[in-house]
Amino acid sequence: MKIPDYFPTGRKIFSFEFFPPKTEEGIGHLFQTIGELKPLKPAFVSVTYGAGGSTRERTVELVRRIKQEHRIEAMAHLTCVGSNRVEIRQILKQLEGFGIENVLALRGDPPKGESGFKAPAEGFSHASELVAFIRKSFDFSLGGAGYPEGHMECRDLDKDMAHLKKKVDAGLDFIITQLFFDNPHYYGFVKRARTAGIGVPIIPGIMPITNVGQVKRFTEMCGASIPCGLLNELDSVQDNPEAVMALGIRHAAAQCRDLLSKGAPGIHFYTLNKSPATRAILESLSDLR
């Protein structure tokens, strides 16, 4: 099922993001997590593309297994990194052959050790180019990324919104945001998007905090911020994993309840391949599902 088909129903959609593990043991743990989350009936799950396109084959294989073996709608991430147009077309044909109907089209991060993004020979420089390429020759539903606090490489919010508009005009069907911990960032982002003429659904991305050091590293990498009050609370319990987990679940659940009550079309959870926090949050939102 294509993701945009959910939106006209008015149903709030919930989805999960996973990353490709590097080992067979990790893959086993991932499918255990998928089995634990499946009863929550996600509208779809997505599988990321490793930094520098390093997990391309594993991403394709995981979405195939999730769709064909576990009967869950799966969306493959696809980036411009490390692949030319011929290779990208081959990947898309492979996904098409596996029955995958949804793709998240991204520029992608520079390969490890490189300070800036460089387009591959005969490849793409921007996500908008990738979106236009896919839209011209394939029938996938296409999602793209949005940055409530601005992209790391473009902190000018107006310019960043202009880049997003270009992607939408190229053929995006929906947007999933980068993680954020303060809902006004999302509301401001949606308002700017609508003012810019972007009308597609914008799904907020939420990451439950389960480890203080980890979330600080993530926010440094992606340019998101942690509200001072929340950061102080986290620092006060950082040596108590159970307290951190409880605080993270409580904060994310409150975020989700507020977002859904104010019109967000659903929630996309950054699970980090773990189920307990996401399950606890969704169970607390059972009255809104």
Side-chain angles (χ1 to χ4, degrees):
M1 183 172 179
K2 291 184 177 181
I3 293 167
D5 293 340
Y6 285 102
F7 299 119
T9 68
R11 170 190 168 191
K12 300 293 186 181
I13 69 171
F14 296 90
S15 54
F16 311 133
E17 181 170 296
F18 305 116
F19 62 84
K22 296 179 180 179
T23 65
E24 290 302 316
E25 181 181 12
I27 290 176
H29 287 313
L30 171 60
F31 280 102
Q32 179 180 339
T33 295
I34 291 171
E36 292 167 349
L37 291 174
K38 185 176 180 179
L40 297 173
K41 299 181 179 179
F44 67 94
V45 303
S46 70
V47 181
T48 67
Y49 220 57
S54 58
T55 62
R56 178 174 65 192
E57 292 81 8
R58 188 156 286 181
T59 296
V60 171
E61 175 61 12
L62 287 175
V63 293
R64 182 198 68 78
R65 288 187 60 186
I66 292 168
K67 172 100 176 188
Q68 296 182 357
E69 297 175 14
H70 294 265
R71 303 300 178 186
I72 301 173
E73 197 60 56
M75 176 172 69
H77 291 215
L78 181 63
T79 77
C80 304
V81 181
S83 299
N84 60 36
R85 294 167 189 248
V86 172
E87 292 167 329
I88 287 175
R89 184 181 293 276
Q90 290 172 342
I91 296 166
L92 291 164
K93 284 187 173 294
Q94 193 174 17
L95 291 170
E96 191 176 54
F98 290 149
I100 303 302
E101 297 182 271
N102 303 286
V103 170
L104 192 73
L106 309 163
R107 189 203 68 178
D109 297 323
K112 189 174 181 179
E114 294 188 16
S115 58
F117 180 85
K118 295 179 181 179
E122 301 300 320
F124 302 110
S125 299
H126 305 286
S128 57
E129 298 171 355
L130 176 60
V131 172
F133 176 81
I134 299 172
R135 182 59 70 213
K136 182 178 179 180
S137 303
F138 295 89
D139 190 35
F140 293 103
S141 161
L142 296 180
Y147 302 88
E149 299 177 68
H151 192 282
M152 279 288 288
E153 297 175 21
C154 183
R155 305 308 276 181
D156 183 314
L157 298 183
D158 291 334
K159 289 183 179 179
D160 190 55
M161 187 56 63
H163 295 155
L164 180 61
K165 180 65 161 59
K166 194 171 183 179
K167 288 192 288 186
V168 173
D169 289 345
L172 287 188
D173 295 304
F174 60 94
I175 295 163
I176 297 176
T177 78
Q178 179 61 273
L179 60 90
F180 59 92
F181 298 100
D182 196 4
N183 286 0
H185 289 308
Y186 173 79
Y187 299 132
F189 176 73
V190 172
K191 184 177 180 179
R192 293 194 305 276
R194 301 311 182 216
T195 300
I198 294 172
V200 301
I202 300 175
I203 306 172
I206 297 295
M207 188 180 78
I209 298 171
T210 57
N211 180 289
V212 178
Q214 184 183 59
V215 75
K216 287 181 178 179
R217 290 193 297 273
F218 282 160
T219 53
E220 287 174 2
M221 288 189 296
C222 73
S225 62
I226 305 174
C228 290
L230 176 60
L231 184 58
N232 290 338
E233 286 189 84
L234 288 168
D235 285 340
S236 71
V237 297
Q238 62 180 324
D239 296 324
N240 184 336
E242 291 182 358
V244 171
M245 173 80 80
L247 175 56
I249 290 172
R250 186 168 66 250
H251 182 82
Q255 272 193 281
C256 293
R257 184 167 291 276
D258 181 68
L259 289 162
L260 295 170
S261 69
K262 293 179 179 176
I267 305 290
H268 185 68
F269 289 97
Y270 297 106
T271 69
L272 302 180
N273 290 13
K274 299 176 182 178
S275 68
T278 302
R279 286 168 55 197
I281 293 164
L282 277 177
E283 286 167 4
S284 77
L285 301 172
S286 59
D287 59 307
L288 297 176
R289 300 197 66 193

